[in-house]
Amino acid sequence: MLFRKTVFALALAGAAIPAAFANSGNTWVGGERGFETHTVQSTKSRADVKKELDAFRSNPTTAEGGSLVGGEAGYMPPQHSYAFQNGRLVHTDSIAHNTPKPSLAMTDAERRLFREQSVN
């Protein structure tokens, strides 16, 4: 009799567990807010979007200059490049070279410059 009650209690608990962890996308669960998706009207036509996709496929370069290469590498960030011109080593890339390195000891002016350079 005790065995049957134990098996029944375990079966009842097992059936209730999925309902206890069910999550609708709109409720607070575990301190995190769910999300909803909404449709957004676009100002571009389907032909414009298709044209942009074809242009990206022919030259898969992101806005900051990195390249999407696929495979295991996936993404190649923009690289610095150098060359000798008139006997001097100069930068030949388009990456900004006047951005200060982020540091805890930065002055307010350096922080402001860093934020401005990273946004652009």
Side-chain angles (χ1 to χ4, degrees):
M1 184 81 169
L2 180 63
F3 178 73
R4 279 192 244 165
K5 286 183 182 179
T6 305
V7 170
F8 178 73
L10 288 175
L12 187 62
I17 286 176
F21 290 104
N23 178 14
S24 70
N26 214 9
T27 60
W28 289 86
V29 176
E32 293 185 15
R33 175 91 171 133
F35 64 91
E36 294 181 21
T37 57
H38 300 281
T39 57
V40 177
Q41 280 299 97
S42 176
T43 58
K44 294 184 179 183
S45 69
R46 184 173 179 85
D48 293 339
V49 173
K50 191 90 162 134
K51 183 177 172 184
E52 284 183 11
L53 177 62
D54 291 338
F56 179 76
R57 283 183 177 161
S58 66
N59 183 18
T61 304
T62 59
E64 68 273 358
S67 298
L68 298 174
V69 294
E72 288 184 16
Y75 173 75
M76 296 293 293
Q79 300 289 318
H80 290 281
S81 62
Y82 307 94
F84 279 103
Q85 292 178 355
N86 299 329
R88 295 183 60 192
L89 186 65
V90 295
H91 296 281
T92 57
D93 55 29
S94 60
I95 300 172
H97 296 281
N98 60 349
T99 306
K101 294 179 182 176
S103 168
L104 295 176
M106 291 172 74
T107 65
D108 289 335
E110 288 174 332
R111 279 193 187 93
R112 203 169 20 258
L113 178 63
F114 180 74
R115 286 189 199 114
E116 289 172 4
Q117 291 291 331
S118 63
V119 169
N120 293 336

